[in-house]
Amino acid sequence: MAKTSSVEKNNRRRKLVDLYAAKRKALKATVMDKEVPMEERFRAQLKLSALPRNSAKTRIRNRCEVTGRPRAYYRKLKMSRIALRELGSLGAVPGLVKSSW
């Protein structure tokens, strides 16, 4: 099991990303638009950099929903390989046949 503080920090980041997503998208569009005057683009860039760092989507770490493990994460299942193996052994994952010989 991962540290509770790490999992909670990641959850806070997810909330911030949702909160600032629209504002960040609008500012990014202004910065990337070549038709807008340079001064306005620069002001938009300054506003974008003034937003909290944790509001950027790239700061979110994919974590296992069962254990919170940050590595060996399967996006489709939203869990780590270790949790998948344990649940597969118990027969809790539909469609997964785990064999051992």
Side-chain angles (χ1 to χ4, degrees):
M1 193 69 191
K3 288 188 348 183
T4 311
S5 61
S6 300
V7 174
E8 287 304 314
K9 186 188 293 185
N10 205 40
N11 290 339
R12 281 195 305 273
R13 285 180 179 153
R14 286 186 191 279
K15 288 177 188 170
L16 269 178
V17 167
D18 292 339
L19 188 67
Y20 285 97
K23 190 173 191 178
R24 187 172 278 277
K25 188 175 181 179
L27 288 171
K28 285 283 270 191
T30 306
V31 170
M32 295 298 178
D33 189 10
K34 301 291 184 191
E35 302 298 318
V36 178
M38 192 64 165
E39 296 82 25
E40 193 175 330
R41 289 172 57 197
F42 186 67
R43 268 188 260 120
Q45 182 66 49
L46 290 177
K47 286 181 183 177
L48 189 64
S49 63
L51 293 177
R53 280 189 171 184
N54 284 336
S55 67
K57 195 173 181 182
T58 55
R59 304 273 291 199
I60 296 175
R61 178 75 186 203
N62 287 329
R63 288 185 171 270
C64 174
E65 291 197 351
V66 180
T67 61
R69 181 182 165 85
R71 309 275 174 113
Y73 174 85
Y74 293 117
R75 288 178 183 219
K76 190 171 185 179
L77 302 168
K78 295 187 179 178
M79 67 174 70
S80 67
R81 62 179 172 82
I82 297 169
L84 178 65
R85 184 178 170 86
E86 289 173 0
L87 292 175
S89 295
L90 298 173
V93 181
L96 182 73
V97 178
K98 187 175 177 309
S99 62
S100 60
W101 60 89

